[in-house]
Amino acid sequence: MSASLSAASASEDLPTLLVKIFGKDRPGLTAGLFDTLAGFGVDVVDIEQVVTRGRIVLCALVTEPPGVREGELRATVHSWAESWGLSAEIISGTGDNRPRGTGRSHVTVLGNPLTAESTAAIAARITGAGANIDRVFRLAKYPVTAVEFAVSGVPADTLRSALAPRAGEFGVDIAVVAAGLQRRAQRLVVMDVDSTLIQDEVIELFAAHAGCEAEVARVTESAMRGELDFAQSLHARVALLAGLDASVVEKVRAEVRLTPGARTLIRTLKRLGYQVGVVSGGFTQVTDELRERLGLDFAAANTLEIVDGRLTGRVTGEIVDRAGKARLLRRFAEQAGVPLAQTVAIGDGANDLDMLNTAGLGVAFNAKPVVREAAHTSVNVPFLDTVLYLLGITREEVEAADGAVED
């Protein structure tokens, strides 16, 4: 047996004390507890501290004091806690925490609101799948309540299959991603534009100026539901724009409305070193301006043909359709030097499905039912920055980054 295995085996039998302190939080508590324990020559095996609404729970797992001083340690800790107006509990045992099971995952839950009933149902579903909940903590309280369960014991795919189909029933959004260093590694995030990055369908904005908005909208909806071939529907809709003066491009750009949270999402990702891009079944006449305005790394879309200052009713170049979006995601990933497993794709329509399924994490954002069912996870609140929570980024980290830049 190796020395490391012998040491690990010995540590399992080592007598330890679990010291638990709880009560009203105040500065100096943690230092005070360990200063008290230091007088008994113990080693620290583990620490866990949680503060909720001003109440602290501080747990310290320490080795048993040498000699016969355990009783003295207990009395001293209780006396110290009482002097601070705290309660203390000390439990004898052996060894460290039991090892976490293999198959570790992060289960992120978004609720607006997050109810006790849905939380109970999710926890029961996790344990029913054979997994163990190791830790739970809050990522955000605004604009939605976001909590993360650290789970072990079953593969992420198994857990996702157990939870994702029930998310709607629970009244929440649920994302399951495998734990590991890659979660914090540099990533590439690529999103759809119409009804994802922006609140509008760009072709409908053009159509409003051509007086054919209702007709174009009907074709768009059919395409997004997967009822029509996207390329055919694109050509049919663009043909209705023939003859529009090219000055309409500037008018449409001015009418585009970003989705709430879009700027925060992109700004935060960029500060973390992520690369961000868009792929759109819309038009470069709009996406190029968005790329410049938002500081995007990549952008691709269809291009409206303009001849003699007027739209011809045709598009030029490579068509960005369902297959094209997935192809562009791969191209962007290669250019960014990011493996596909480290990519995140966000979209709402059927023409986004190949891209969502190609990415390491596909997020259906306020999507059509067919898309929600096929994507890895879905977000059904109107705030694009909630995607940050699926990456393990807390609201406090977002706000701290904003404050640091402003300062």
Side-chain angles (χ1 to χ4, degrees):
M1 181 181 294
S2 69
S4 60
L5 288 176
S6 298
S9 177
S11 67
E12 292 177 0
D13 300 324
L14 188 70
T16 53
L17 298 175
L18 175 59
V19 180
K20 179 180 178 182
I21 303 296
F22 46 97
K24 184 178 180 181
D25 187 31
R26 70 193 72 176
L29 283 183
T30 306
L33 173 62
F34 285 96
D35 187 53
T36 301
L37 293 172
F40 294 88
V42 299
D43 296 330
V44 177
V45 179
D46 196 5
I47 308 172
E48 187 81 22
Q49 178 174 310
V50 177
V51 178
T52 305
R53 209 182 67 180
R55 310 293 292 185
I56 188 172
V57 178
L58 171 58
C59 295
L61 187 65
V62 299
T63 56
E64 188 179 74
V68 290
R69 303 188 65 195
E70 181 181 334
E72 183 184 351
L73 181 149
R74 287 175 175 270
T76 302
V77 169
H78 278 287
S79 177
W80 170 84
E82 185 177 348
S83 71
W84 282 73
L86 302 169
S87 298
E89 182 180 8
I90 303 174
I91 304 171
S92 299
T94 56
D96 197 348
N97 302 310
R98 64 180 179 80
R100 291 180 61 190
T102 57
R104 300 178 186 179
S105 304
H106 298 284
V107 178
T108 306
V109 179
L110 310 180
N112 191 25
L114 178 62
T115 66
E117 181 180 10
S118 60
T119 305
I122 293 163
R125 195 74 178 173
I126 291 172
T127 54
N132 185 71
I133 298 172
D134 300 314
R135 189 179 178 216
V136 185
F137 58 96
R138 187 178 70 183
L139 293 169
K141 61 180 179 180
Y142 172 84
V144 298
T145 300
V147 297
E148 183 172 287
F149 295 76
V151 176
S152 62
V154 298
D157 289 345
T158 301
L159 199 56
R160 186 181 298 118
S161 297
L163 291 171
R166 305 289 296 276
E169 177 185 329
F170 299 151
V172 298
D173 297 323
I174 301 176
V176 180
V177 297
L181 290 176
Q182 68 273 14
R183 195 182 190 212
R184 286 289 188 172
Q186 185 188 54
R187 288 189 177 188
L188 168 68
V189 178
V190 175
M191 67 191 88
D192 175 43
V193 175
D194 293 8
S195 298
T196 300
L197 177 64
I198 66 175
Q199 300 177 60
D200 313 281
E201 292 288 333
V202 168
I203 196 165
E204 293 178 11
L205 296 179
F206 277 101
H209 292 279
C212 57
E213 184 177 16
E215 186 176 352
V216 165
R218 284 194 296 271
V219 180
T220 299
E221 280 299 311
S222 294
M224 290 299 98
R225 290 192 299 267
E227 298 169 357
L228 293 176
D229 174 79
F230 179 81
Q232 291 177 337
S233 70
L234 174 67
H235 290 304
R237 289 175 290 172
V238 171
L240 296 170
L241 308 180
L244 273 178
D245 191 279
S247 63
V248 74
V249 170
E250 289 302 324
K251 297 176 183 178
V252 168
R253 286 176 174 175
E255 292 167 351
V256 165
R257 301 166 299 163
L258 292 175
T259 297
R263 287 185 182 277
T264 300
L265 171 67
I266 295 170
R267 182 174 64 243
T268 302
L269 291 173
K270 296 290 289 179
R271 287 174 183 169
L272 290 172
Y274 289 35
Q275 297 187 62
V276 185
V278 294
V279 290
S280 175
F283 310 110
T284 56
Q285 281 83 357
V286 172
T287 58
D288 286 350
E289 191 274 337
L290 288 171
R291 177 177 184 171
E292 183 177 351
R293 190 198 330 170
L294 299 173
L296 301 173
D297 299 285
F298 305 98
N302 301 297
T303 299
L304 290 169
E305 184 181 62
I306 299 175
V307 176
D308 296 330
R310 292 192 176 275
L311 276 64
T312 66
R314 296 186 295 271
V315 292
T316 63
E318 180 183 12
I319 296 296
V320 179
D321 56 7
R322 176 169 170 167
K325 288 189 173 186
R327 184 170 59 250
L328 285 161
L329 171 66
R330 294 189 184 94
R331 185 183 304 170
F332 292 167
E334 183 177 356
Q335 293 172 0
V338 175
L340 279 175
Q342 293 301 110
T343 62
V344 180
I346 311 167
D348 74 298
N351 66 325
D352 297 314
L353 276 173
D354 289 1
M355 176 178 72
L356 297 181
N357 290 325
T358 298
L361 176 65
V363 181
F365 181 74
N366 292 307
K368 312 300 184 291
V370 66
V371 183
R372 291 200 303 268
E373 292 169 6
H376 298 134
T377 188
S378 63
V379 171
N380 295 296
V381 294
F383 309 107
L384 194 56
D385 54 339
T386 55
V387 173
L388 293 169
Y389 310 143
L390 306 184
L391 306 179
I393 301 167
T394 69
R395 192 72 195 179
E396 288 77 9
E397 288 172 323
V398 174
E399 293 174 352
D402 285 344
V405 171
E406 290 170 2
D407 291 343

